[in-house]
Amino acid sequence: MVKVYCDICGKEIIRAKEVWKLSLLSKPENVRVSYDEKVEDMCESCATEIHCHLSAMKNGLKLKFDCIPETGGGNG
């Protein structure tokens, strides 16, 4: 039996209970920035956390992410 681990947290995934996949791809015409990310194997806990963050953002909640670098630029 092959063991599968979450690409995000490293937890072992029990395939019978947890099958999650995530893909964030920019459209071809988006030349300014490209946040192409693929996660082929993700545990239920990480999938739930990502879902909760996306839902909160869709409902107008502004979340702070430590992984986003500040460029010092702006539109004005």
Side-chain angles (χ1 to χ4, degrees):
M1 184 168 114
V2 176
K3 290 187 177 186
V4 179
Y5 297 90
C6 178
D7 291 339
I8 296 174
C9 72
K11 173 186 168 189
E12 184 178 355
I13 297 173
I14 310 302
R15 281 286 184 194
K17 292 179 9 182
E18 304 172 345
V19 179
W20 300 94
K21 185 176 184 177
L22 173 72
S23 182
L24 176 67
L25 303 171
S26 61
K27 291 185 176 184
E29 62 270 10
N30 187 359
V31 296
R32 188 181 70 79
V33 69
S34 177
Y35 296 124
D36 293 348
E37 292 288 337
K38 289 184 181 179
V39 178
E40 295 294 326
D41 299 304
M42 185 177 5
C43 70
E44 185 175 8
S45 177
C46 288
T48 300
E49 188 168 340
I50 290 170
H51 167 74
C52 289
H53 278 68
L54 289 174
S55 293
M57 291 170 68
K58 288 192 316 190
N59 289 319
L61 181 64
K62 300 294 182 191
L63 302 173
K64 181 180 177 183
F65 294 100
D66 294 335
C67 66
I68 300 174
E70 293 194 26
T71 60
N75 293 336

